[in-house]
Amino acid sequence: MKKNLNRIITILFSLFLFSCARDKIVYEFYPAFITPIHYTIDIEKSILSQNSKQFKIEGHIQGSNNLINEEYKIDRKVLNTFLERIESVKLDSSIQHNREVLDGISFRFSKINQWNDSISLISTSPNRQEKYLKDYQILDAFFELAHSTIKNNNKGQSLTENIQDYFHYTIPIKRVSNNPIEYRVVGRISGCRDGNEALISLLDSLPNNEPIIFDIRNGSFAPCLTELLEEFEQKKRIYYYGIFELNQIDLDIETLEDELSEAEKDNSNGLVGGIRGQLKELRKDRKRIIAESKLRPNSFRTKHELRKTIANIGYNK
């Protein structure tokens, strides 16, 4: 009898673990102007899904269902750390934080179990204040997982970074590789020398005797920072690749093409002409950016071109 009871307990415990493993966590982001993105974390499979969304109301279409639909394998250690951080938030019931913000972002975080029961946090453009502590604990955990997981996919990275840019985060430069040393710039680094102490500190800390790569496919430095960058380029082997404006325009064109396809299904809504006009202007701007982009000797369109140059000048680390 005792043996059978132990067996039943073991089976029930195994079923409990399995049911927990089938739970999922969903982040839904609804930013002003750009495509909404949903991220689903499948805990059992250690999979992060990234899916763009389109919504349509009377006289308005925003976003694209086809802009991105990707799945990424999550490192189990990264996932466990993420789950520990989410558990530490102690979100025991659904809460909502609303703010009146123009051109902001709303997001919904949901923990969903196998029976489709959920606990959610809904928030609009939270500040980093005590009232929104849980909001940023949840966001910080997500963006750390996302940046660790979404790799070698510039579109997936760019869309995630564009979402993160709506929230309160620090200097948009992150180290992505040690061999060779590479940093990815996210968004526009504004201002001039004064007020950019963090950037100056970073540049000053870079080694002098090996290549330093800046990925600027989804980021840029303000024109006022050109003199500062050139000063450090004289002392260090700094290289750049990518064109930020081109990357953003390509995302916008792809989104508008999907919006146009949806608008054409119901021409009476009056959106078709407006979207066609926007597409025409963006395609014109794209040609202009390509024609006007004057790449300096240490700047390249692609990482492949940059690495070939580094190899040709004798750096093989």
Side-chain angles (χ1 to χ4, degrees), residues 142-159:
F142 167 72
F143 286 120
E144 186 167 322
L145 177 138
H147 294 316
S148 298
T149 302
I150 303 174
K151 298 178 179 178
N152 303 316
N153 184 324
N154 183 57
K155 182 190 281 187
Q157 289 174 292
S158 296
L159 292 171

Side-chain angles (χ1 to χ4, degrees), residues 165-291:
D165 197 41
Y166 278 81
F167 299 101
H168 292 256
Y169 284 90
T170 55
I171 183 170
I173 299 179
K174 57 186 179 182
R175 188 159 175 159
V176 295
S177 173
N178 294 321
N179 187 15
I181 296 172
E182 181 175 342
Y183 291 87
R184 183 172 171 92
V185 181
V186 180
R188 298 183 186 275
I189 299 181
S190 58
C192 300
R193 181 188 297 266
D194 293 340
N196 268 299
E197 289 78 11
L199 174 61
I200 295 171
S201 178
L202 170 64
L203 293 171
D204 194 50
S205 70
L206 299 175
N208 296 328
N209 58 350
E210 57 183 292
I212 309 298
I213 298 172
F214 284 97
D215 173 359
I216 54 173
R217 288 176 295 176
N218 198 43
S220 65
F221 297 96
C224 194
L225 290 169
T226 300
E227 183 180 341
L228 173 67
L229 293 171
E230 289 177 346
E231 176 185 315
F232 279 95
E233 289 166 13
Q234 296 299 315
K235 301 179 286 186
K236 302 172 188 289
R237 298 174 60 188
I238 296 176
Y239 300 88
Y240 309 89
Y241 72 94
I243 302 175
F244 174 53
E245 292 81 5
L246 199 60
N247 186 54
Q248 294 301 312
I249 277 185
D250 285 344
L251 291 175
D252 290 342
I253 288 175
E254 192 171 350
T255 299
L256 282 169
E257 286 175 342
D258 206 36
E259 291 178 0
L260 178 61
S261 177
E262 183 64 27
E264 287 175 336
K265 296 176 184 178
D266 180 15
N267 192 37
S268 63
N269 59 25
L271 294 173
V272 173
I275 295 174
R276 284 177 177 166
Q278 291 179 65
L279 275 170
K280 182 178 180 180
E281 289 302 312
L282 283 177
R283 287 168 178 152
K284 187 187 302 182
D285 287 342
R286 190 180 193 279
K287 290 181 180 179
R288 175 186 56 76
I289 289 170
I290 292 174

Side-chain angles (χ1 to χ4, degrees), residues 27-262:
Y27 286 80
E28 304 168 43
F29 294 99
Y30 301 96
F33 307 119
I34 64 176
T35 295
I37 307 285
H38 290 187
Y39 299 84
T40 302
I41 299 165
D42 186 315
I43 297 172
E44 177 191 1
K45 297 179 180 179
S46 291
I47 293 291
L48 172 66
S49 301
Q50 182 184 27
N51 303 101
S52 58
K53 299 294 179 180
Q54 182 182 82
F55 69 83
K56 181 179 179 181
I57 58 176
E58 185 67 29
H60 180 73
I61 298 175
Q62 181 177 330
S64 164
N65 290 321
N66 303 309
L67 187 60
I68 194 163
N69 290 288
E70 293 284 352
E71 290 187 346
Y72 312 92
K73 186 69 177 177
I74 309 171
D75 179 85
R76 197 70 214 186
K77 185 182 292 185
V78 171
L79 179 58
N80 288 340
T81 299
F82 166 80
L83 293 173
E84 289 171 6
R85 294 178 69 176
I86 293 301
E87 185 64 26
S88 71
V89 177
K90 299 189 184 304
L91 187 67
D92 301 319
S93 60
S94 295
I95 58 176
Q96 188 164 345
H97 292 152
N98 289 326
R99 292 179 66 220
E100 293 294 327
V101 178
L102 187 65
D103 303 337
I105 184 170
S106 294
F107 82 95
R108 179 189 183 105
F109 162 83
S110 302
K111 294 192 294 184
I112 306 171
N113 65 22
Q114 61 171 329
W115 299 284
N116 223 28
D117 297 325
S118 66
I119 294 175
S120 301
L121 181 147
I122 301 173
S123 184
T124 302
S125 298
N127 287 326
R128 279 198 182 270
Q129 298 175 351
E130 184 67 26
K131 178 180 177 181
Y132 305 107
L133 177 62
K134 289 183 184 294
D135 307 49
Y136 272 96
Q137 287 175 327
I138 287 169
L139 288 170
D140 292 347
F142 167 72
F143 286 120
E144 186 167 322
L145 177 138
H147 294 316
S148 298
T149 302
I150 303 174
K151 298 178 179 178
N152 303 316
N153 184 324
N154 183 57
K155 182 190 281 187
Q157 289 174 292
S158 296
L159 292 171
T160 303
E161 291 160 353
N162 291 350
I163 291 288
Q164 187 174 6
D165 197 41
Y166 278 81
F167 299 101
H168 292 256
Y169 284 90
T170 55
I171 183 170
I173 299 179
K174 57 186 179 182
R175 188 159 175 159
V176 295
S177 173
N178 294 321
N179 187 15
I181 296 172
E182 181 175 342
Y183 291 87
R184 183 172 171 92
V185 181
V186 180
R188 298 183 186 275
I189 299 181
S190 58
C192 300
R193 181 188 297 266
D194 293 340
N196 268 299
E197 289 78 11
L199 174 61
I200 295 171
S201 178
L202 170 64
L203 293 171
D204 194 50
S205 70
L206 299 175
N208 296 328
N209 58 350
E210 57 183 292
I212 309 298
I213 298 172
F214 284 97
D215 173 359
I216 54 173
R217 288 176 295 176
N218 198 43
S220 65
F221 297 96
C224 194
L225 290 169
T226 300
E227 183 180 341
L228 173 67
L229 293 171
E230 289 177 346
E231 176 185 315
F232 279 95
E233 289 166 13
Q234 296 299 315
K235 301 179 286 186
K236 302 172 188 289
R237 298 174 60 188
I238 296 176
Y239 300 88
Y240 309 89
Y241 72 94
I243 302 175
F244 174 53
E245 292 81 5
L246 199 60
N247 186 54
Q248 294 301 312
I249 277 185
D250 285 344
L251 291 175
D252 290 342
I253 288 175
E254 192 171 350
T255 299
L256 282 169
E257 286 175 342
D258 206 36
E259 291 178 0
L260 178 61
S261 177
E262 183 64 27

